[in-house]
Structure formats: C-alpha cells, structure tokens
Amino acid sequence: MSVSQVSVVLPLFGDHGAMGALPVVCRGWLDQDVPCEVVIAITTGTAIPPLGDGITDGRIRVVHADRELASPGPLRNVAVAASRAPLLYLSDADVAPLGDDFLRRALGLLDDRAVIQPWMY
C-alpha cells in the first residue's frame, strides 16, 4: 500500500441521493494518479452501499458520528480528525473528480495556500 498524500473527505447523512453514486465516486478518487484515501463521515445508523469493489488496503474508511452532527460541516470535521494524509481535499459524496489527474492538478495550484477548484462533475 502506498502512503496517501491526500485525504479526500466526504460527508454523508440521511437518505441523500449520493448513496447510489458513492461507489463510483470512491472509485474515481482511488483511481487518481496521486495516492489518496477516501474518508467518509456518516451519522450513526446511516446505511451505505458496498464500497471499493475489492479495495482491501484501507484507502476507503467510514467513520461514524452522532446523529446531531447531521450536516456537512460537522461531518467533515469528524472525517478530518480521522484523516491520515498531510493534505485534505474537502468534497461531497455526490461529486466525482474529472479525470485521473484531478488531484495532481489541484496540488499544482496549491503553492502553500488553500485552493478552491471547480473541475468536478
């Protein structure tokens, strides 16, 4: 397993429409040419579909949060606390990266500051 350079943080709660897209979204992140992990923060009791299609190296992790944290900001904080990589990419569970070089392009813009980038589907 390669060491992740980026933790992709995804909040998810309730019956959000992203449930159906989550396996595809996770695969899009894991197929990046920059090693990354996907950390999904969900509220306790939220059922999610099987993820990773055979990924067994720990690059997809689900962390559980109390139900009162059922909004994107607090759930992102929970996921960030569980992240292992030195850099964070805050996204949403229904947003897939555009191309397998998405994170590399984002890192190219970084230059020691926060970046907001619109290259998403």
Side-chain angles (χ1 to χ4, degrees), residues 9-41:
V9 171
L10 307 177
L12 187 59
F13 59 94
D15 60 353
H16 193 284
M19 291 294 181
L22 193 57
V24 173
V25 169
C26 286
R27 174 54 63 194
W29 289 116
L30 295 180
D31 286 347
Q32 293 297 296
D33 60 5
V34 171
C36 69
E37 67 172 354
V38 176
V39 184
I40 304 162

PDB file of all heavy atoms in Angstrom, residues 9-41:
ATOM      1  N   VAL A   9     -12.153  13.981   1.844  1.00  0.00           N
ATOM      2  CA  VAL A   9     -13.131  13.980   2.935  1.00  0.00           C
ATOM      3  C   VAL A   9     -14.537  14.140   2.357  1.00  0.00           C
ATOM      4  O   VAL A   9     -14.809  15.104   1.645  1.00  0.00           O
ATOM      5  CB  VAL A   9     -12.800  15.127   3.919  1.00  0.00           C
ATOM      6  CG1 VAL A   9     -13.889  15.310   4.932  1.00  0.00           C
ATOM      7  CG2 VAL A   9     -11.450  14.869   4.577  1.00  0.00           C
ATOM      8  N   LEU A  10     -15.415  13.171   2.684  1.00  0.00           N
ATOM      9  CA  LEU A  10     -16.787  13.188   2.172  1.00  0.00           C
ATOM     10  C   LEU A  10     -17.782  13.079   3.323  1.00  0.00           C
ATOM     11  O   LEU A  10     -17.746  12.090   4.060  1.00  0.00           O
ATOM     12  CB  LEU A  10     -17.021  12.007   1.219  1.00  0.00           C
ATOM     13  CG  LEU A  10     -16.044  11.823   0.066  1.00  0.00           C
ATOM     14  CD1 LEU A  10     -16.399  10.567  -0.714  1.00  0.00           C
ATOM     15  CD2 LEU A  10     -16.037  13.040  -0.833  1.00  0.00           C
ATOM     16  N   PRO A  11     -18.686  14.048   3.500  1.00  0.00           N
ATOM     17  CA  PRO A  11     -19.756  13.909   4.495  1.00  0.00           C
ATOM     18  C   PRO A  11     -20.980  13.255   3.851  1.00  0.00           C
ATOM     19  O   PRO A  11     -21.246  13.450   2.665  1.00  0.00           O
ATOM     20  CB  PRO A  11     -20.054  15.365   4.863  1.00  0.00           C
ATOM     21  CG  PRO A  11     -19.790  16.120   3.597  1.00  0.00           C
ATOM     22  CD  PRO A  11     -18.654  15.389   2.911  1.00  0.00           C
ATOM     23  N   LEU A  12     -21.713  12.475   4.636  1.00  0.00           N
ATOM     24  CA  LEU A  12     -22.899  11.824   4.102  1.00  0.00           C
ATOM     25  C   LEU A  12     -23.848  11.507   5.247  1.00  0.00           C
ATOM     26  O   LEU A  12     -23.434  10.960   6.264  1.00  0.00           O
ATOM     27  CB  LEU A  12     -22.506  10.535   3.381  1.00  0.00           C
ATOM     28  CG  LEU A  12     -23.585   9.800   2.611  1.00  0.00           C
ATOM     29  CD1 LEU A  12     -24.200  10.685   1.526  1.00  0.00           C
ATOM     30  CD2 LEU A  12     -23.006   8.549   1.986  1.00  0.00           C
ATOM     31  N   PHE A  13     -25.128  11.859   5.075  1.00  0.00           N
ATOM     32  CA  PHE A  13     -26.091  11.591   6.137  1.00  0.00           C
ATOM     33  C   PHE A  13     -27.480  11.435   5.554  1.00  0.00           C
ATOM     34  O   PHE A  13     -27.753  11.855   4.431  1.00  0.00           O
ATOM     35  CB  PHE A  13     -26.087  12.708   7.192  1.00  0.00           C
ATOM     36  CG  PHE A  13     -26.408  14.069   6.652  1.00  0.00           C
ATOM     37  CD1 PHE A  13     -27.692  14.568   6.672  1.00  0.00           C
ATOM     38  CD2 PHE A  13     -25.399  14.854   6.109  1.00  0.00           C
ATOM     39  CE1 PHE A  13     -27.986  15.821   6.178  1.00  0.00           C
ATOM     40  CE2 PHE A  13     -25.672  16.112   5.608  1.00  0.00           C
ATOM     41  CZ  PHE A  13     -26.977  16.594   5.641  1.00  0.00           C
ATOM     42  N   GLY A  14     -28.337  10.793   6.332  1.00  0.00           N
ATOM     43  CA  GLY A  14     -29.730  10.635   5.940  1.00  0.00           C
ATOM     44  C   GLY A  14     -29.891   9.790   4.696  1.00  0.00           C
ATOM     45  O   GLY A  14     -29.126   8.866   4.447  1.00  0.00           O
ATOM     46  N   ASP A  15     -30.881  10.141   3.891  1.00  0.00           N
ATOM     47  CA  ASP A  15     -31.153   9.383   2.666  1.00  0.00           C
ATOM     48  C   ASP A  15     -30.715  10.178   1.436  1.00  0.00           C
ATOM     49  O   ASP A  15     -31.374  10.193   0.411  1.00  0.00           O
ATOM     50  CB  ASP A  15     -32.626   8.999   2.585  1.00  0.00           C
ATOM     51  CG  ASP A  15     -33.546  10.218   2.582  1.00  0.00           C
ATOM     52  OD1 ASP A  15     -33.057  11.348   2.777  1.00  0.00           O
ATOM     53  OD2 ASP A  15     -34.757  10.041   2.388  1.00  0.00           O
ATOM     54  N   HIS A  16     -29.595  10.828   1.543  1.00  0.00           N
ATOM     55  CA  HIS A  16     -29.053  11.662   0.481  1.00  0.00           C
ATOM     56  C   HIS A  16     -28.946  10.862  -0.817  1.00  0.00           C
ATOM     57  O   HIS A  16     -28.602   9.681  -0.806  1.00  0.00           O
ATOM     58  CB  HIS A  16     -27.671  12.183   0.892  1.00  0.00           C
ATOM     59  CG  HIS A  16     -27.164  13.285   0.024  1.00  0.00           C
ATOM     60  ND1 HIS A  16     -26.663  13.071  -1.238  1.00  0.00           N
ATOM     61  CD2 HIS A  16     -27.092  14.608   0.231  1.00  0.00           C
ATOM     62  CE1 HIS A  16     -26.292  14.215  -1.762  1.00  0.00           C
ATOM     63  NE2 HIS A  16     -26.545  15.171  -0.892  1.00  0.00           N
ATOM     64  N   GLY A  17     -29.219  11.494  -1.930  1.00  0.00           N
ATOM     65  CA  GLY A  17     -29.155  10.852  -3.227  1.00  0.00           C
ATOM     66  C   GLY A  17     -27.777  10.347  -3.611  1.00  0.00           C
ATOM     67  O   GLY A  17     -27.641   9.538  -4.524  1.00  0.00           O
ATOM     68  N   ALA A  18     -26.753  10.786  -2.892  1.00  0.00           N
ATOM     69  CA  ALA A  18     -25.387  10.350  -3.187  1.00  0.00           C
ATOM     70  C   ALA A  18     -25.147   8.885  -2.849  1.00  0.00           C
ATOM     71  O   ALA A  18     -24.154   8.309  -3.276  1.00  0.00           O
ATOM     72  CB  ALA A  18     -24.390  11.213  -2.415  1.00  0.00           C
ATOM     73  N   MET A  19     -26.052   8.283  -2.099  1.00  0.00           N
ATOM     74  CA  MET A  19     -25.855   6.876  -1.724  1.00  0.00           C
ATOM     75  C   MET A  19     -25.607   6.003  -2.948  1.00  0.00           C
ATOM     76  O   MET A  19     -24.706   5.177  -2.947  1.00  0.00           O
ATOM     77  CB  MET A  19     -27.064   6.337  -0.965  1.00  0.00           C
ATOM     78  CG  MET A  19     -27.262   6.914   0.396  1.00  0.00           C
ATOM     79  SD  MET A  19     -25.919   6.451   1.486  1.00  0.00           S
ATOM     80  CE  MET A  19     -26.483   7.272   2.956  1.00  0.00           C
ATOM     81  N   GLY A  20     -26.399   6.187  -3.985  1.00  0.00           N
ATOM     82  CA  GLY A  20     -26.255   5.367  -5.177  1.00  0.00           C
ATOM     83  C   GLY A  20     -24.974   5.639  -5.944  1.00  0.00           C
ATOM     84  O   GLY A  20     -24.431   4.751  -6.599  1.00  0.00           O
ATOM     85  N   ALA A  21     -24.483   6.857  -5.886  1.00  0.00           N
ATOM     86  CA  ALA A  21     -23.279   7.235  -6.624  1.00  0.00           C
ATOM     87  C   ALA A  21     -21.997   6.977  -5.843  1.00  0.00           C
ATOM     88  O   ALA A  21     -20.914   6.987  -6.422  1.00  0.00           O
ATOM     89  CB  ALA A  21     -23.353   8.718  -6.991  1.00  0.00           C
ATOM     90  N   LEU A  22     -22.094   6.737  -4.563  1.00  0.00           N
ATOM     91  CA  LEU A  22     -20.913   6.648  -3.704  1.00  0.00           C
ATOM     92  C   LEU A  22     -19.870   5.633  -4.181  1.00  0.00           C
ATOM     93  O   LEU A  22     -18.674   5.953  -4.184  1.00  0.00           O
ATOM     94  CB  LEU A  22     -21.330   6.383  -2.255  1.00  0.00           C
ATOM     95  CG  LEU A  22     -20.261   6.575  -1.203  1.00  0.00           C
ATOM     96  CD1 LEU A  22     -19.678   7.980  -1.255  1.00  0.00           C
ATOM     97  CD2 LEU A  22     -20.833   6.301   0.181  1.00  0.00           C
ATOM     98  N   PRO A  23     -20.240   4.429  -4.609  1.00  0.00           N
ATOM     99  CA  PRO A  23     -19.200   3.505  -5.091  1.00  0.00           C
ATOM    100  C   PRO A  23     -18.418   4.053  -6.289  1.00  0.00           C
ATOM    101  O   PRO A  23     -17.197   3.916  -6.365  1.00  0.00           O
ATOM    102  CB  PRO A  23     -19.986   2.245  -5.467  1.00  0.00           C
ATOM    103  CG  PRO A  23     -21.209   2.297  -4.615  1.00  0.00           C
ATOM    104  CD  PRO A  23     -21.555   3.763  -4.526  1.00  0.00           C
ATOM    105  N   VAL A  24     -19.110   4.712  -7.207  1.00  0.00           N
ATOM    106  CA  VAL A  24     -18.454   5.289  -8.382  1.00  0.00           C
ATOM    107  C   VAL A  24     -17.574   6.472  -7.968  1.00  0.00           C
ATOM    108  O   VAL A  24     -16.456   6.635  -8.463  1.00  0.00           O
ATOM    109  CB  VAL A  24     -19.503   5.716  -9.430  1.00  0.00           C
ATOM    110  CG1 VAL A  24     -18.868   6.479 -10.586  1.00  0.00           C
ATOM    111  CG2 VAL A  24     -20.260   4.506  -9.927  1.00  0.00           C
ATOM    112  N   VAL A  25     -18.065   7.295  -7.073  1.00  0.00           N
ATOM    113  CA  VAL A  25     -17.302   8.444  -6.588  1.00  0.00           C
ATOM    114  C   VAL A  25     -16.016   7.965  -5.902  1.00  0.00           C
ATOM    115  O   VAL A  25     -14.922   8.480  -6.178  1.00  0.00           O
ATOM    116  CB  VAL A  25     -18.158   9.319  -5.644  1.00  0.00           C
ATOM    117  CG1 VAL A  25     -17.314  10.352  -4.922  1.00  0.00           C
ATOM    118  CG2 VAL A  25     -19.275   9.995  -6.430  1.00  0.00           C
ATOM    119  N   CYS A  26     -16.129   6.973  -5.048  1.00  0.00           N
ATOM    120  CA  CYS A  26     -14.936   6.444  -4.362  1.00  0.00           C
ATOM    121  C   CYS A  26     -13.930   5.901  -5.368  1.00  0.00           C
ATOM    122  O   CYS A  26     -12.730   6.161  -5.256  1.00  0.00           O
ATOM    123  CB  CYS A  26     -15.321   5.353  -3.370  1.00  0.00           C
ATOM    124  SG  CYS A  26     -16.118   5.980  -1.880  1.00  0.00           S
ATOM    125  N   ARG A  27     -14.404   5.164  -6.360  1.00  0.00           N
ATOM    126  CA  ARG A  27     -13.505   4.622  -7.383  1.00  0.00           C
ATOM    127  C   ARG A  27     -12.807   5.743  -8.135  1.00  0.00           C
ATOM    128  O   ARG A  27     -11.617   5.673  -8.421  1.00  0.00           O
ATOM    129  CB  ARG A  27     -14.294   3.724  -8.348  1.00  0.00           C
ATOM    130  CG  ARG A  27     -13.508   3.213  -9.540  1.00  0.00           C
ATOM    131  CD  ARG A  27     -12.234   2.499  -9.227  1.00  0.00           C
ATOM    132  NE  ARG A  27     -12.470   1.304  -8.460  1.00  0.00           N
ATOM    133  CZ  ARG A  27     -11.516   0.640  -7.824  1.00  0.00           C
ATOM    134  NH1 ARG A  27     -10.263   1.040  -7.889  1.00  0.00           N
ATOM    135  NH2 ARG A  27     -11.785  -0.423  -7.125  1.00  0.00           N
ATOM    136  N   GLY A  28     -13.530   6.825  -8.441  1.00  0.00           N
ATOM    137  CA  GLY A  28     -12.918   7.963  -9.121  1.00  0.00           C
ATOM    138  C   GLY A  28     -11.781   8.564  -8.319  1.00  0.00           C
ATOM    139  O   GLY A  28     -10.746   8.936  -8.882  1.00  0.00           O
ATOM    140  N   TRP A  29     -11.952   8.653  -7.017  1.00  0.00           N
ATOM    141  CA  TRP A  29     -10.873   9.183  -6.170  1.00  0.00           C
ATOM    142  C   TRP A  29      -9.711   8.204  -6.080  1.00  0.00           C
ATOM    143  O   TRP A  29      -8.551   8.589  -6.196  1.00  0.00           O
ATOM    144  CB  TRP A  29     -11.391   9.540  -4.784  1.00  0.00           C
ATOM    145  CG  TRP A  29     -12.271  10.746  -4.777  1.00  0.00           C
ATOM    146  CD1 TRP A  29     -13.596  10.800  -4.448  1.00  0.00           C
ATOM    147  CD2 TRP A  29     -11.896  12.088  -5.122  1.00  0.00           C
ATOM    148  NE1 TRP A  29     -14.064  12.088  -4.582  1.00  0.00           N
ATOM    149  CE2 TRP A  29     -13.045  12.897  -4.990  1.00  0.00           C
ATOM    150  CE3 TRP A  29     -10.712  12.678  -5.554  1.00  0.00           C
ATOM    151  CZ2 TRP A  29     -13.028  14.267  -5.258  1.00  0.00           C
ATOM    152  CZ3 TRP A  29     -10.700  14.048  -5.817  1.00  0.00           C
ATOM    153  CH2 TRP A  29     -11.850  14.823  -5.671  1.00  0.00           C
ATOM    154  N   LEU A  30     -10.001   6.941  -5.900  1.00  0.00           N
ATOM    155  CA  LEU A  30      -8.928   5.958  -5.736  1.00  0.00           C
ATOM    156  C   LEU A  30      -8.148   5.717  -7.020  1.00  0.00           C
ATOM    157  O   LEU A  30      -7.009   5.260  -6.976  1.00  0.00           O
ATOM    158  CB  LEU A  30      -9.495   4.645  -5.204  1.00  0.00           C
ATOM    159  CG  LEU A  30     -10.085   4.739  -3.799  1.00  0.00           C
ATOM    160  CD1 LEU A  30     -10.629   3.383  -3.373  1.00  0.00           C
ATOM    161  CD2 LEU A  30      -9.076   5.259  -2.787  1.00  0.00           C
ATOM    162  N   ASP A  31      -8.728   6.039  -8.168  1.00  0.00           N
ATOM    163  CA  ASP A  31      -8.038   5.893  -9.446  1.00  0.00           C
ATOM    164  C   ASP A  31      -7.142   7.085  -9.777  1.00  0.00           C
ATOM    165  O   ASP A  31      -6.540   7.123 -10.853  1.00  0.00           O
ATOM    166  CB  ASP A  31      -9.051   5.682 -10.576  1.00  0.00           C
ATOM    167  CG  ASP A  31      -9.658   4.293 -10.557  1.00  0.00           C
ATOM    168  OD1 ASP A  31      -9.141   3.406  -9.840  1.00  0.00           O
ATOM    169  OD2 ASP A  31     -10.676   4.088 -11.249  1.00  0.00           O
ATOM    170  N   GLN A  32      -7.032   8.044  -8.892  1.00  0.00           N
ATOM    171  CA  GLN A  32      -6.192   9.219  -9.128  1.00  0.00           C
ATOM    172  C   GLN A  32      -4.724   8.817  -9.253  1.00  0.00           C
ATOM    173  O   GLN A  32      -4.285   7.814  -8.688  1.00  0.00           O
ATOM    174  CB  GLN A  32      -6.344  10.225  -7.987  1.00  0.00           C
ATOM    175  CG  GLN A  32      -7.706  10.860  -7.909  1.00  0.00           C
ATOM    176  CD  GLN A  32      -8.013  11.675  -9.151  1.00  0.00           C
ATOM    177  OE1 GLN A  32      -7.354  12.660  -9.439  1.00  0.00           O
ATOM    178  NE2 GLN A  32      -9.015  11.246  -9.890  1.00  0.00           N
ATOM    179  N   ASP A  33      -3.943   9.617  -9.978  1.00  0.00           N
ATOM    180  CA  ASP A  33      -2.520   9.325 -10.112  1.00  0.00           C
ATOM    181  C   ASP A  33      -1.705   9.877  -8.937  1.00  0.00           C
ATOM    182  O   ASP A  33      -0.488   9.792  -8.926  1.00  0.00           O
ATOM    183  CB  ASP A  33      -1.974   9.809 -11.459  1.00  0.00           C
ATOM    184  CG  ASP A  33      -2.128  11.305 -11.693  1.00  0.00           C
ATOM    185  OD1 ASP A  33      -2.570  12.028 -10.777  1.00  0.00           O
ATOM    186  OD2 ASP A  33      -1.809  11.761 -12.807  1.00  0.00           O
ATOM    187  N   VAL A  34      -2.383  10.395  -7.933  1.00  0.00           N
ATOM    188  CA  VAL A  34      -1.779  10.792  -6.652  1.00  0.00           C
ATOM    189  C   VAL A  34      -2.357   9.844  -5.595  1.00  0.00           C
ATOM    190  O   VAL A  34      -3.578   9.692  -5.520  1.00  0.00           O
ATOM    191  CB  VAL A  34      -2.136  12.255  -6.295  1.00  0.00           C
ATOM    192  CG1 VAL A  34      -1.707  12.597  -4.888  1.00  0.00           C
ATOM    193  CG2 VAL A  34      -1.512  13.212  -7.297  1.00  0.00           C
ATOM    194  N   PRO A  35      -1.520   9.191  -4.810  1.00  0.00           N
ATOM    195  CA  PRO A  35      -2.047   8.282  -3.786  1.00  0.00           C
ATOM    196  C   PRO A  35      -2.943   9.029  -2.798  1.00  0.00           C
ATOM    197  O   PRO A  35      -2.553  10.065  -2.252  1.00  0.00           O
ATOM    198  CB  PRO A  35      -0.802   7.751  -3.085  1.00  0.00           C
ATOM    199  CG  PRO A  35       0.328   8.008  -4.014  1.00  0.00           C
ATOM    200  CD  PRO A  35      -0.057   9.227  -4.806  1.00  0.00           C
ATOM    201  N   CYS A  36      -4.149   8.502  -2.605  1.00  0.00           N
ATOM    202  CA  CYS A  36      -5.074   9.158  -1.691  1.00  0.00           C
ATOM    203  C   CYS A  36      -5.900   8.119  -0.947  1.00  0.00           C
ATOM    204  O   CYS A  36      -5.925   6.944  -1.303  1.00  0.00           O
ATOM    205  CB  CYS A  36      -5.980  10.135  -2.428  1.00  0.00           C
ATOM    206  SG  CYS A  36      -7.180   9.370  -3.531  1.00  0.00           S
ATOM    207  N   GLU A  37      -6.529   8.588   0.103  1.00  0.00           N
ATOM    208  CA  GLU A  37      -7.519   7.796   0.825  1.00  0.00           C
ATOM    209  C   GLU A  37      -8.832   8.556   0.758  1.00  0.00           C
ATOM    210  O   GLU A  37      -8.845   9.767   0.533  1.00  0.00           O
ATOM    211  CB  GLU A  37      -7.097   7.590   2.284  1.00  0.00           C
ATOM    212  CG  GLU A  37      -7.107   8.869   3.102  1.00  0.00           C
ATOM    213  CD  GLU A  37      -6.885   8.643   4.589  1.00  0.00           C
ATOM    214  OE1 GLU A  37      -6.824   7.492   5.048  1.00  0.00           O
ATOM    215  OE2 GLU A  37      -6.796   9.655   5.307  1.00  0.00           O
ATOM    216  N   VAL A  38      -9.935   7.840   0.940  1.00  0.00           N
ATOM    217  CA  VAL A  38     -11.263   8.452   0.986  1.00  0.00           C
ATOM    218  C   VAL A  38     -11.800   8.203   2.391  1.00  0.00           C
ATOM    219  O   VAL A  38     -11.894   7.056   2.827  1.00  0.00           O
ATOM    220  CB  VAL A  38     -12.212   7.853  -0.072  1.00  0.00           C
ATOM    221  CG1 VAL A  38     -13.604   8.452   0.064  1.00  0.00           C
ATOM    222  CG2 VAL A  38     -11.660   8.073  -1.473  1.00  0.00           C
ATOM    223  N   VAL A  39     -12.120   9.286   3.093  1.00  0.00           N
ATOM    224  CA  VAL A  39     -12.674   9.185   4.442  1.00  0.00           C
ATOM    225  C   VAL A  39     -14.098   9.719   4.388  1.00  0.00           C
ATOM    226  O   VAL A  39     -14.322  10.888   4.082  1.00  0.00           O
ATOM    227  CB  VAL A  39     -11.837   9.974   5.468  1.00  0.00           C
ATOM    228  CG1 VAL A  39     -12.390   9.771   6.867  1.00  0.00           C
ATOM    229  CG2 VAL A  39     -10.366   9.562   5.403  1.00  0.00           C
ATOM    230  N   ILE A  40     -15.055   8.833   4.658  1.00  0.00           N
ATOM    231  CA  ILE A  40     -16.472   9.177   4.587  1.00  0.00           C
ATOM    232  C   ILE A  40     -17.003   9.261   6.009  1.00  0.00           C
ATOM    233  O   ILE A  40     -16.912   8.290   6.765  1.00  0.00           O
ATOM    234  CB  ILE A  40     -17.257   8.107   3.819  1.00  0.00           C
ATOM    235  CG1 ILE A  40     -16.646   7.908   2.433  1.00  0.00           C
ATOM    236  CG2 ILE A  40     -18.732   8.483   3.714  1.00  0.00           C
ATOM    237  CD1 ILE A  40     -17.048   6.613   1.778  1.00  0.00           C
ATOM    238  N   ALA A  41     -17.540  10.417   6.374  1.00  0.00           N
ATOM    239  CA  ALA A  41     -18.153  10.578   7.695  1.00  0.00           C
ATOM    240  C   ALA A  41     -19.659  10.459   7.540  1.00  0.00           C
ATOM    241  O   ALA A  41     -20.268  11.175   6.734  1.00  0.00           O
ATOM    242  CB  ALA A  41     -17.791  11.925   8.302  1.00  0.00           C
TER     243      ALA A  41
END
